Amino acid sequence: MTKYLLSLILWACLCAGTAAQPEQAIAFTDKDCYLAGERLQVSVRTLAPDAQAMDLSRVAYVELSDTARLCAQTMVALDEGMGWASLPLPATLHSGNYMLTVYTRNMRNYGAQCFFRKVVSVINPLRLSERDDLLILPPDELPATPTAAARYTPGKTVRVSLPADSAMTVQTLSVVRWDIPTADYTLPAPASPTASTGQFLPEVEGHLVTTRPTEDGKIASTRLVLIGKGASLFDGQAQEDGSWLYFTNQVYGALPTLLNAYDPDGQPVGIQFQAPYAQIVPPSLPALQVWASEDVLRSRSLGAQYENMLSLQTQGDTILHSANFFSFAPERYYDLDEYTRFNTVKEALSEFVRGVRRRKVNGVPQLYTYNSEEDSYASWPSLVLLDGMPVHDVDEILAYDARLIKYIQVYSGSYTFGSTICQGVLSFISHRGRLSNFKLDKGSHLVTYNFPQNRPAFVLPESGQTSTVLWDPSVGTRQLDFPAPMEQGTYQVILQGLDAKGKPFRSASKLIVE
């Protein structure tokens, strides 16, 4: 906890000195045209105005929008100005062009004209919509391209490189099927940053989560708890505009997250998350032109829908538990599957859990743990956790269904947990790890919050109909080798990167596997 406080102080000092420093973002995608239900791979770089890598913001925001609404979004964790993510495209997207927008909180101080923007095409041949803006042209009418095609056998090593005297560096490599070419859509370069409003703090350590009350009433305290994630709690910081801010560091991916708030009398108050995105919607987008046969589109789209279905089926609710719920092992550890099952937690504690005592203090029931080193029970109450959530009403956890509990962990010693000081911790972990059948008060809001993605690995889908067969988001060289795809056909090898002045470049060549 001391480390957390020092980090927070350092973060505040850094924010004060760096909020006025402008930065720019550059993003590379694995391709330009997607099927609804596929995953859009994106790699992000942040640069200073002199084109040097800028290690200021630790989070980049990615939005995909049409002219009506924000359709998909994600956050990218940045390390030394670089990061990447995988953005699932909803299977319900209509056919047409979309705007991909990338920015940081720091960039919002200089206006949306400084954001990185790119046109991305999406095709959904299985869903006809009045909003479809798609023109399918015969493949044989595709304008001739001067690029010569290299021929390889399946699995043979392919070498791609830039000229030896080139000042450019390859940042990403992708190999995609060359069966749905689209028209080229280019946008003007983003404007240079001008005067800063100083409204948004840069995220120099981690993601800044913002919440806002849903009802009138004074909030005295709020907290954010990561359910089933190492007993992580973050206290809210009140802001002048009535919102609350939480500084989260080293937290990545989609996690069950509990938010709660209380008034000065300790009564729950409604509160909810505030969207962190700017939600940029372009005023207009060009119509989509694609050269492909409808048979190819249907076949590939069925593959994309199949992959989307597999992804939904494999998203289980069970959280993998560790015996070390904190950064150290518990003093006593019980796997309830190895004991006789009882109906309530109170019965389980009485029958086989050693060193736990219930006692009332000023009429309020509390639980105390036995400290073997001091050979006595603690003089201060223990912190009681259910799947990482603090439980203040001891009788609620004692009456909880013990058949839903997988582990009971008992820690001795003194701890600081958020703003709470306790002696000993009683941690109850359910089978699902998500507060199974536990009734929350009206001031508690449990959701799956999508924290920044931290460099996910590229996984080749199983359907065989996927378009992208290889994606390397962090090449960083002028030459690289990769195996040719195992399935015969025509592919496109796309190299993307930056030149010496920080300007993006793109090089594409054909690859025939036969």
Side-chain angles (χ1 to χ4, degrees):
M1 183 53 60
T2 301
K3 180 180 178 182
Y4 166 74
L5 291 176
L6 291 176
S7 299
L8 185 59
I9 294 172
L10 178 61
W11 163 74
C13 295
L14 289 174
C15 286
T18 58
Q21 295 183 17
E23 63 183 338
Q24 57 183 334
I26 295 178
F28 307 104
T29 58
D30 57 322
K31 55 192 175 186
D32 298 326
C33 184
Y34 298 83
L35 275 296
E38 285 187 326
R39 303 185 75 89
L40 183 152
Q41 312 292 338
V42 58
S43 182
V44 180
R45 305 291 188 278
T46 54
L47 304 173
D50 61 358
Q52 298 299 315
M54 190 172 189
D55 190 20
L56 171 63
S57 295
R58 293 306 174 97
V59 179
Y61 294 83
V62 178
E63 298 183 7
L64 186 73
S65 306
D66 59 12
T67 56
R69 61 188 177 90
L70 177 64
C71 303
Q73 67 281 324
T74 190
M75 288 180 275
V76 182
L78 300 176
D79 185 11
E80 297 184 351
M82 179 176 66
W84 56 87
S86 180
L87 177 62
L89 301 180
T92 56
L93 290 181
H94 64 82
S95 297
N97 280 323
Y98 292 75
M99 182 74 74
L100 186 75
T101 307
V102 182
Y103 57 92
T104 65
R105 279 177 60 97
N106 182 46
M107 292 175 63
R108 293 179 69 174
N109 293 318
Y110 303 92
Q113 70 276 5
C114 302
F115 295 176
F116 175 86
R117 296 174 300 155
K118 176 182 179 178
V119 174
V120 172
S121 304
V122 178
I123 301 175
N124 192 346
L126 302 183
R127 179 175 179 266
L128 298 178
S129 168
E130 60 182 13
R131 301 186 61 197
D132 284 347
D133 193 6
L134 171 66
L135 175 62
I136 301 178
L137 301 172
D140 54 7
E141 294 185 7
L142 177 67
T145 57
T147 304
R151 298 177 182 272
Y152 288 83
T153 57
K156 186 177 181 180
T157 299
V158 180
R159 171 165 293 182
V160 293
S161 61
L162 297 175
D165 58 349
S166 173
M168 298 182 293
T169 301
V170 179
Q171 302 289 337
T172 68
L173 162 72
S174 53
V175 179
V176 300
R177 294 178 185 272
W178 182 244
D179 53 4
I180 310 182
T182 62
D184 183 26
Y185 305 98
T186 57
L187 293 171
S192 299
T194 55
S196 169
T197 63
Q199 180 180 3
F200 294 96
L201 295 174
E203 292 166 304
V204 299
E205 285 294 331
H207 175 44
L208 303 179
V209 181
T210 305
T211 62
R212 188 171 294 277
T214 59
E215 58 187 65
D216 295 333
K218 186 176 181 180
I219 294 181
S221 64
T222 73
R223 63 191 179 195
L224 183 152
V225 181
L226 304 183
I227 302 302
K229 184 67 174 178
S232 298
L233 179 147
F234 305 93
D235 290 321
Q237 307 295 323
Q239 305 298 300
E240 294 182 357
D241 62 356
S243 64
W244 289 76
L245 196 64
Y246 311 80
F247 168 75
T248 62
N249 192 20
Q250 303 295 320
V251 180
Y252 308 111
L255 298 173
T257 306
L258 180 71
L259 179 70
N260 49 35
Y262 301 94
D263 65 15
D265 297 326
Q267 297 301 312
V269 180
I271 196 169
Q272 65 181 7
F273 289 97
Q274 186 173 344
Y277 299 94
Q279 303 193 41
I280 301 298
V281 176
S284 63
L285 285 166
L288 172 59
Q289 297 182 10
V290 56
W291 286 269
S293 68
E294 294 194 15
D295 290 341
V296 169
L297 291 179
R298 291 194 184 94
S299 175
R300 284 265 309 282
S301 183
L302 285 172
Q305 303 297 330
Y306 175 71
E307 290 298 334
N308 185 62
M309 179 186 66
L310 286 180
S311 176
L312 293 176
Q313 290 178 349
T314 56
Q315 291 177 0
D317 289 332
T318 300
I319 295 178
L320 297 179
H321 300 293
S322 169
N324 298 344
F325 196 50
F326 293 91
S327 58
F328 42 87
E331 186 172 316
R332 291 180 294 280
Y333 172 81
Y334 302 88
D335 184 343
L336 269 61
D337 289 342
E338 300 176 357
Y339 295 85
T340 301
R341 281 292 180 178
F342 295 92
N343 292 329
T344 66
V345 169
K346 181 179 180 180
E347 293 174 311
L349 292 178
S350 301
E351 293 295 333
F352 56 81
V353 176
R354 297 180 294 107
V356 178
R357 174 183 296 174
R358 178 184 180 274
R359 190 174 67 190
K360 284 189 177 182
V361 179
N362 297 326
V364 178
Q366 301 285 359
L367 292 178
Y368 294 79
T369 58
Y370 182 80
N371 191 325
S372 58
E373 293 184 359
E374 299 180 0
D375 194 22
S376 65
Y377 279 88
S379 56
W380 286 78
S382 299
L383 174 67
V384 179
L385 301 174
L386 175 60
D387 291 333
M389 180 194 73
V391 178
H392 295 285
D393 190 340
V394 168
D395 287 339
E396 283 190 357
I397 193 67
L398 292 177
Y400 188 67
D401 191 346
R403 293 167 296 185
L404 301 176
I405 298 293
K406 171 64 174 175
Y407 301 118
I408 298 178
Q409 300 168 343
V410 183
Y411 300 80
S412 61
S414 299
Y415 301 91
T416 301
F417 189 67
S419 57
T420 302
I421 299 176
C422 59
Q423 286 186 324
V425 176
L426 272 173
S427 174
F428 300 89
I429 303 176
S430 67
H431 282 275
R432 294 184 61 196
R434 299 191 183 222
L435 305 177
S436 303
N437 291 0
F438 190 84
K439 185 178 180 180
L440 300 173
D441 58 43
K442 70 171 185 176
S444 298
H445 189 49
L446 179 62
V447 299
T448 297
Y449 188 87
N450 291 305
F451 291 92
Q453 295 187 46
N454 189 25
R455 305 188 174 193
F458 172 71
V459 178
L460 187 64
E462 301 176 0
S463 69
Q465 293 296 328
T466 180
S467 174
T468 302
V469 298
L470 179 62
W471 165 247
D472 186 342
S474 60
V475 177
T477 62
R478 293 187 176 90
Q479 177 178 291
L480 67 159
D481 298 336
F482 63 91
M486 298 305 297
E487 186 173 342
Q488 298 186 43
T490 302
Y491 298 84
Q492 190 177 39
V493 180
I494 304 173
L495 301 179
Q496 299 175 93
L498 301 172
D499 62 18
K501 296 183 179 180
K503 301 299 182 182
F505 72 86
R506 184 179 188 274
S507 173
S509 58
K510 284 186 180 180
L511 171 66
I512 298 178
V513 178
E514 59 185 8

